[in-house]
Amino acid sequence: SIIVDKSIKINDLLVEDKYALLTSARITSYGSEYSFKTSCESCGAEFQFDFDLQKMLDTEPVRNIPDDVVETEKGIFEFKIDTKDLTVGLRILTLEELDYISQQSKRRKELNISGSETVDFLNMAVEHVDGFTKRDVLLKLFEVLPLKDVRKIRKTYNAISPSLEKKQTQQCPNCSSTVEREAPFSLGWF
């Protein structure tokens, strides 16, 4: 285990925290350079792309919080949806909660039970709607919420979730074009 403090549970972390831990472990074990072959979009030449993992960790996590979203002292992100001008309060889900949603979806398929992963997501991520927090009331709302509001909630969730800057650029040695690549998180790291 790379987490020394036993009071920290991996499932209580956010997805990007997990990526940061794995990246730190990779750097500690093999150094911060991660090289892989790629091709230039401009000239087609194949070359070695040298990705600096430490640079990824040193950069502040990206958060694109929209102007109409306000973060409360409790870490809830509030914004309005079109349906009756309701205020939605969102929270960022942990790894355990995201895994639970995925497992629920798999179980429903295995048992041939209807349900919606989107409704499961809304039920976990939405803390309140216009101050209402009772799950049974919210669940009824989520089942009839217009698609444009669901999309806004999902888009806002993606914007407020912190994200490591996983892209870096390098010049093609053949034509000097700038090539941008994302860190390839895979088992090949270790």
Side-chain angles (χ1 to χ4, degrees), residues 95-133:
L95 286 169
E96 183 175 38
E97 291 165 328
L98 291 168
D99 186 51
Y100 177 80
I101 292 170
S102 177
Q103 292 302 319
Q104 286 293 98
S105 180
K106 287 178 187 173
R107 280 189 220 119
R108 276 198 300 271
K109 284 180 185 174
E110 289 170 1
L111 299 171
N112 201 24
I113 298 172
S114 65
S116 166
E117 194 167 335
T118 299
V119 172
D120 291 345
F121 166 78
L122 293 171
N123 200 34
M124 294 285 273
V126 174
E127 189 71 20
H128 72 81
V129 176
D130 251 16
F132 290 98
T133 58

Side-chain angles (χ1 to χ4, degrees), residues 16 24 29 32 48 53 164 169 171:
E16 292 304 309
S24 292
S29 300
S32 66
Q48 192 84 4
L53 298 173
L164 292 174
T169 59
Q171 280 194 322

